[in-house]
Amino acid sequence: MLKTAVIFADGTEEIEAITPADVLKRAGIACDIVSVSGNCPTGSHGITVKADVLAENFDMRDYDGIIIPGGMPGAVNISQNDKILDALRYAAQNGKLVAAICASPAVVLAQNGFLKGRKATCYPAPNFISLMESAKYTAEDVSTDSNYITANGPRSAMKFALAICEYFHKEPKF
């Protein structure tokens, strides 16, 4: 069975984490919530979630893809976690899915060198777009480039989730 990880931190945009997790499970793809902020991190709108796995116990070798939601300061909190950055490096080097939405394509992926020369999008604010200088910024709702999928924010959470399902050739059941 395919298995994915949605990374969650204090300050994560909840809709960008929960929508992919829900849709992937409806498509028969296992999805763990991996927390960088303890057992019960609280998102940017005050919603607390229960983690399946803590970042310190996360092993990307057990997963087919990693999904990074945005939200502030969630994206910053994720970008500062060495275990997650190591997981992203492993995923990138091994052709596994790397997906990010909203602030995270800029704050987590671009700032750490993952989007160099890749087609990608992010939240359409000048401070995030400026971080995308090494990428081929598209301004699309969702951009796909090989094993990378990026999206522009909360309004595209469902499109993002469906693009991930399409990447894995799975159809969610609604």
Side-chain angles (χ1 to χ4, degrees):
M1 172 183 264
L2 292 167
K3 189 174 181 182
T4 59
V6 172
I7 311 304
F8 204 101
D10 285 338
T12 288
E13 173 62 57
E14 295 93 341
I15 196 170
E16 297 169 359
I18 301 304
T19 302
D22 180 274
V23 171
L24 290 170
K25 288 181 180 189
R26 290 170 187 257
I29 301 169
C31 187
D32 287 341
I33 301 292
V34 177
S35 174
V36 303
S37 301
N39 287 318
C40 295
T42 300
S44 61
H45 294 96
I47 299 171
T48 299
V49 300
K50 184 178 182 311
D52 298 303
V53 179
L54 296 177
E56 55 264 25
N57 300 321
F58 177 56
D59 188 341
M60 190 62 215
R61 293 176 296 188
D62 298 332
Y63 293 83
D64 300 291
I66 184 169
I67 301 159
I68 312 292
M72 294 299 274
V76 171
N77 292 335
I78 293 168
S79 75
Q80 294 173 345
N81 186 285
D82 289 335
K83 184 79 172 182
I84 299 306
L85 293 177
D86 287 345
L88 284 164
R89 282 184 206 94
Y90 180 85
Q93 291 167 357
N94 289 279
K96 295 185 179 214
L97 173 72
V98 175
I101 184 170
C102 196
S104 288
V107 174
V108 179
L109 298 183
Q111 280 197 305
N112 287 291
F114 291 101
L115 294 179
K116 187 174 184 179
R118 291 191 178 275
K119 183 175 110 173
T121 193
C122 69
Y123 190 79
N127 57 321
F128 295 131
I129 295 169
S130 69
L131 298 174
M132 301 284 286
E133 64 187 5
S134 68
K136 296 175 186 170
Y137 178 70
T138 67
E140 297 173 332
D141 289 347
V142 177
S143 292
T144 301
D145 186 331
S146 183
N147 60 315
Y148 284 75
I149 299 173
T150 54
N152 66 0
R155 69 185 173 112
S156 299
M158 183 61 82
K159 287 182 184 178
F160 178 63
L162 292 171
I164 295 168
C165 288
E166 185 178 320
Y167 172 85
F168 286 121
H169 307 288
K170 295 289 186 176
E171 182 82 23
K173 293 176 179 40
F174 294 108

